[in-house]
Structures are given as structure tokens and as C-alpha cells.
Amino acid sequence: MSAAAPLISVKDVAVTFGGTLKALDGVSLDIRAGEIVGLVGESGSGKTTLCRALTGLASPSSGTITVGGEPLDRLLARDALAFRRRTQMLLQDAVASLSPRMRIRALAEEPLKIHGLPLAEGRARLMTLLKRLGLTEDTLDKFPHEISGGQARRVAILRALMLGPEIVIADEPTAGLDVSVQGDLLNLLIELQGEFGLTYLIVSHNLNVVRRVTGRTVVMYLGQIVEEAATRALFDAPAHPYGAALLSTNPSVDPARRRQRIVLKGEIPSPVNPPSGCRFHTRCPHAQERCRVEMPELRPWGEDRRVRCHFPLV
Ligand code: SF4
């Protein structure tokens, strides 16, 4: 691992809702500047809560989050708008995130107004971004319902980049798009990351997206990180049985790597009353007695990998 100080550092963070629902529990994660990190796991695994915690929309009940070496709560208290300029969220439903009664031009300029930034400067940036994102000038005069899903996604990216962020958190960036435009959008996201020196956290159910775009992947289950590794190493050989099951559902493009599908028993349990010991033991095909009583720690495993399992697979 690189010795560079992480841009985002999450240490032992728990987020609790209503006093009993632990949406995150003991989450620790470092993201370095310029990285593209993928976040995977079923619905209910805590992915969304982690994104919300990183953007200051959910407050940890314990643990700390630092951004650029400064505690997030202090950054928010000092100047919440300044922090929001640094961290932008790309939402899954791009069309719904655009107000239907505003033209694209007004939508694109809205972040500048909210942040009190000079419009003249912002307009120059708008034209540069418009071109860079492959949108034509006449798009600016349209309403959101008059543009395609792919264009709406580009407008959402444009809005996010208007403020010159460092960090972009993308929730299912290609969901709902035709396969033909998904590839273009992913290429665009990768190019923009390099050009603007961005750091990405990409949440996706689409494992092909994660495999293609990210350098590192984090697997979550029931509010905890269960595995974190270089994306390539993880997709080649997951060490955690949950990661292995999740990846086995991914139709691999490489037949040599095609695995037998591992079907998990039952649904993800409720985070209000998680299983004792290893939280995955109720569904794990490799569970043993120890797993029912002793919660495994997330520990370093092999090279550049962490895994939360008493009996890792590799
Ligand atoms: Fe399965 Fe046990 Fe590992 Fe949990 S600790 S993932 S139950 S083998």
C-alpha cells in the first residue's frame, strides 16, 4: 500500500438509527487521493449509509471520519458549503435529481448560485464542461424530460463538476441505462477522473462496472466491511465467502474464470437484530461452530487485502 496520507479516513464508524438499528458497525476504510474505489453488497449492507456518512448526511454515533486530515464534523461546522464543494454525490436517478421545471442552463448554474460563486467565471466552466461531456449547446435550452437518460446522466455529472470537487461519490452511475451507452458513460467517468484529479467512490450492483472501473473494491455485509482488496485480486479469488457468493452471480466474460454459482440461503438478516458471532454465519456455506459465537475482526490477509472471516477461502 502507498504511504501517502489518505484523503478520506474512516475509523471504527458506527451509524445507528432509532437507537437500535446499526446501519454501520465498526467500519474502517482509507481512500487515497486519485483512487477509484468500488463499494458492493446487497441492499441493506450499509453502502448507502456509508456514502451518506462520508457526505455529512448521516452522523456517526461513534468513530471518526477525516477528510484531508481534518475531522468531518469540524469541516462541516466551520463551513459546510465549502465541504460540499469538495465532495459531490452523483445520484442514481439522474432525471429525478433534476428539477423538471428548470431548463438545463438554470440547472447547471444552480450550484454556482447556491454557493454564491461568480456567474461569469462559472459560465466559462459550464461551456468547457458541456463540450467535454459531449453535450451540445442547445441542450441548455431544454427541460430534463426533453433529453435522454444518458444525457441526463451527463447533465448530473456536469452539475457535480461545476464546483470543482475533489471527491465524487457515485451511486449506481450506469443503472437504468442501455448497455450501449453504459460503456461510453464509464469511459467518460474514467477520463474525467484523470483530467480533474478526482477521487471516486462508486457504489454499484453491477459487478462488471466495478471490475472495469475501480482499482480497489470494498465488500459490505450487514453494516460491516467483510473484505477489501485490489479489484483484480478480489475478482480473481475472493477470500470472504460472502464476496465469493456475490461474485459467483456475475457472468464472467472470461470462461476460464467462470465459477459455479453459489446460491445463498435466505435473505440478509435485519440489522436491528444481527446474528451473533460472524454476521454472515446464518447464510455461509463454510460456517463452523466458532463462527456462531465469535465475531471475526477485519484483519490484514495476504498482500494488500483485509478480510473479516475466521476461515478465509484463499
Ligand atoms: Fe463463514 Fe465463518 Fe467466515 Fe463467517 S467467519 S464468513 S461464517 S467461514
Side-chain angles (χ1 to χ4, degrees):
M1 280 197 189
S2 142
L7 176 60
I8 300 172
S9 187
V10 179
K11 287 220 178 355
D12 209 16
V13 159
V15 173
T16 309
F17 296 121
T20 48
L21 194 155
K22 264 200 169 173
L24 291 184
D25 192 10
V27 170
S28 294
L29 174 69
D30 284 344
I31 300 178
R32 292 181 295 278
E35 270 200 292
I36 306 184
V37 176
L39 192 55
V40 300
E42 287 161 292
S43 304
S45 61
K47 305 186 304 288
T48 306
T49 308
L50 178 56
C51 294
R52 290 175 62 81
L54 291 175
T55 46
L57 296 172
S59 303
S61 37
S62 62
T64 54
I65 298 174
T66 56
V67 179
E70 267 203 84
L72 178 54
D73 47 3
R74 202 191 299 163
L75 287 169
L76 288 168
R78 195 175 61 217
D79 190 344
L81 277 182
F83 174 74
R84 303 216 184 286
R85 282 199 290 278
R86 293 173 70 185
T87 308
Q88 287 289 307
M89 186 116 180
L90 277 179
L91 295 173
Q92 184 177 146
D93 194 341
V95 179
S97 72
L98 303 174
S99 170
R101 281 184 295 274
M102 286 167 77
R103 289 185 201 273
I104 304 300
R105 184 187 305 278
L107 285 164
E109 289 176 353
E110 190 182 38
L112 301 169
K113 289 190 181 145
I114 293 172
H115 288 263
L117 300 173
L119 271 184
E121 240 171 75
R123 282 189 179 133
R125 187 172 176 88
L126 168 59
M127 296 321 283
T128 309
L129 282 172
L130 196 69
K131 205 164 159 204
R132 184 60 196 83
L133 291 167
L135 293 164
T136 51
E137 246 186 279
D138 62 346
T139 313
L140 293 174
D141 297 320
K142 295 187 174 164
F143 287 100
H145 70 269
E146 294 175 319
I147 60 176
S148 71
Q151 286 172 325
R153 218 57 71 105
R154 284 164 196 257
V155 170
I157 296 172
L158 186 148
R159 269 165 62 90
L161 298 185
M162 280 299 281
L163 298 169
E166 289 169 67
I167 301 162
V168 174
I169 297 179
D171 188 3
E172 299 284 0
T174 62
L177 292 178
D178 279 357
V179 177
S180 57
V181 288
Q182 280 188 12
D184 289 346
L185 195 83
L186 288 177
N187 288 340
L188 181 64
L189 282 173
I190 298 171
E191 288 165 16
L192 294 171
Q193 187 262 342
E195 282 168 38
F196 292 94
L198 301 168
T199 301
Y200 283 162
L201 180 65
I202 295 184
V203 181
S204 186
H205 277 99
N206 185 333
L207 297 172
N208 285 323
V209 167
V210 172
R211 184 165 70 171
R212 177 153 159 217
V213 175
T214 69
R216 204 147 53 92
T217 299
V218 173
V219 184
M220 292 192 73
Y221 185 76
L222 212 53
Q224 297 182 323
I225 292 176
V226 294
E227 184 164 1
E228 179 203 343
T231 298
R232 205 183 193 149
L234 186 97
F235 277 75
D236 278 352
H240 193 282
Y242 176 63
L246 201 65
L247 263 50
S248 78
T249 61
N250 185 37
S252 174
V253 284
D254 176 359
R257 290 197 206 144
R258 196 162 286 156
R259 302 181 186 90
Q260 206 178 349
R261 187 172 174 147
I262 305 164
V263 180
L264 290 179
K265 298 173 279 179
E267 297 289 310
I268 187 165
S270 161
V272 174
N273 189 16
S276 61
C278 171
R279 292 191 170 181
F280 187 51
H281 88 253
T282 53
R283 303 169 78 194
C284 180
H286 305 277
Q288 301 185 30
E289 189 47 39
R290 182 180 172 196
C291 309
R292 283 177 249 284
V293 289
E294 191 187 327
M295 184 193 284
E297 297 289 325
L298 184 65
R299 60 189 164 129
W301 188 253
E303 226 176 276
D304 205 11
R305 189 190 292 247
R306 295 189 301 158
V307 62
R308 189 188 284 276
C309 174
H310 295 309
F311 310 105
L313 301 174
V314 290

